[in-house]
Amino acid sequence: MKTAARTRVDGVECLMSWFQIGKSGEGKSSDGFKRDPRKARRFFEHAEAVADARNYDYAIECYINGLRHDPDNMAKHEALHDVALKRKVGGGKPAGLGVKLKSVGPTATDKMLQTEKLWSMDPLNVKLMHDMMKHAVEADEKHGEEQEQVNLAEVAYWIGSMLLESIASAKRSDKNLYLKARDLFVQITAYDKAVDACRRALALDPKNANLMQDLKNLEAELTMKEGGYADQQTVDHCRNARALAAPQKRQCDQARYIDGHIHQPK
């Protein structure tokens, strides 16, 4: 029988997870994933409680555990990011070596969530943004092959959008990172963002003929997508209509947030 230990953190009683990051098998289907909204909800409720008590590290842990059972819950990814920013404002440090070296499960979703945990402890780290996006794309493709009803393309679109803005706000923009983001957006057929990334890369290397041609090709793909000319089977297979249609809920303006001058979007 499973048991769960309780602990008190900053005056708030929390349910300790019997699911630890890095353990696999228990509570999962043979393909490595089984959605469980009930378990996810319990973790999310504890995350909110400890976040209100300003125990941000434990809140991050609870959100990650909840997302293991409901990995495409965008509202909770966004709530986790809000906690990460508050932790940063409060002087939170990046993850230590022990957390970074902690073993994770074998699936792309496991790797995505472990990277999201590290990013939540270092929310200005552009490399971690890219790595999370990459694992989200890989996980989305895996779930597509297994016909799981999980839309991690939306997660990839969300983090990728923030990645583009973070690259642009860096002291020195990285053309190669724009191109990596472009290719990942193409994998989820998010041609609007792929075009954006390619344009940004071209602005850093305006005489690059190959980039000019890539941009023309992507703009043509975007026109076909928006005009409904794409093959319907391909659209269905990609399963990311929500990611392409979802409006951007928030702008990536982390630097000003950390200075304490940003107002949270509604």
Side-chain angles (χ1 to χ4, degrees):
M1 177 181 291
K2 296 177 182 176
T3 59
R6 290 183 179 272
T7 185
R8 296 188 68 84
V9 183
D10 290 348
V12 178
E13 189 173 31
C14 307
L15 182 68
M16 296 296 289
S17 167
W18 56 78
F19 275 92
Q20 298 298 321
I21 293 178
K23 293 183 180 181
S24 60
E26 191 174 18
K28 295 183 178 180
S29 62
S30 60
D31 59 15
F33 173 75
K34 181 178 180 180
R35 188 188 294 278
D36 193 330
R38 181 184 62 83
K39 286 182 180 177
R41 183 170 59 253
R42 293 176 70 186
F43 283 120
F44 295 147
E45 289 171 353
H46 291 307
E48 292 169 4
V50 295
D52 287 342
R54 298 185 180 182
N55 189 331
Y56 299 128
D57 282 17
Y58 191 64
I60 289 171
E61 187 76 31
C62 288
Y63 272 119
I64 292 296
N65 278 328
L67 288 166
R68 288 176 67 83
H69 303 292
D70 193 12
D72 58 354
N73 189 326
M74 278 306 310
K76 301 310 178 184
H77 283 286
E78 291 171 348
L80 170 56
H81 187 52
D82 286 342
V83 168
L85 294 178
K86 290 176 182 177
R87 179 182 181 275
K88 181 68 175 178
V89 171
K93 304 297 183 183
L97 187 61
V99 176
K100 292 179 180 178
L101 296 180
K102 193 171 185 178
S103 62
V104 299
T107 71
T109 302
D110 292 327
K111 293 174 183 176
M112 180 194 77
L113 292 174
Q114 174 66 359
T115 305
E116 186 169 13
K117 179 180 178 179
L118 298 178
W119 173 52
S120 296
M121 302 178 79
D122 191 7
L124 300 185
N125 190 314
V126 177
K127 183 181 183 302
L128 289 174
M129 291 184 195
H130 165 265
D131 291 348
M132 180 183 164
M133 182 186 184
K134 180 182 71 173
H135 292 312
V137 170
E138 292 170 352
D140 185 71
E141 291 178 345
K142 184 65 175 177
H143 285 296
E145 292 170 3
E146 296 168 352
Q147 296 183 342
E148 290 281 357
Q149 297 301 310
V150 180
N151 182 18
L152 291 174
E154 186 173 2
V155 177
Y157 189 96
W158 170 73
I159 183 64
S161 298
M162 286 194 286
L163 172 61
L164 294 184
E165 298 305 321
S166 294
I167 299 170
S169 65
K171 291 182 179 179
R172 186 174 181 179
S173 296
D174 189 331
K175 183 187 77 172
N176 290 330
L177 203 50
Y178 277 135
L179 295 178
K180 289 179 180 180
R182 176 202 64 184
D183 293 344
L184 290 170
F185 280 123
V186 168
Q187 285 182 250
I188 58 172
T189 69
Y191 294 117
D192 56 338
K193 288 297 182 179
V195 166
D196 185 13
C198 195
R199 285 175 178 165
R200 292 173 189 242
L202 186 58
L204 298 176
D205 189 6
K207 296 183 180 180
N208 190 316
N210 289 333
L211 276 180
M212 292 179 190
Q213 186 59 52
D214 288 346
L215 180 57
K216 289 180 181 179
N217 293 340
L218 288 171
E219 288 174 336
E221 292 283 1
L222 178 59
T223 298
M224 292 179 64
K225 189 82 173 180
E226 292 179 338
Y229 304 124
D231 180 78
Q232 186 60 46
Q233 290 183 344
T234 301
V235 174
D236 291 342
H237 177 71
C238 292
R239 298 175 305 106
N240 71 329
R242 282 192 296 150
L244 298 178
Q248 285 301 99
K249 295 182 179 178
R250 58 193 66 198
Q251 295 294 320
C252 181
D253 199 356
Q254 297 169 323
R256 287 197 297 131
Y257 184 99
I258 290 170
D259 286 337
H261 302 301
I262 192 169
H263 297 287
Q264 291 291 343
K266 298 293 183 183

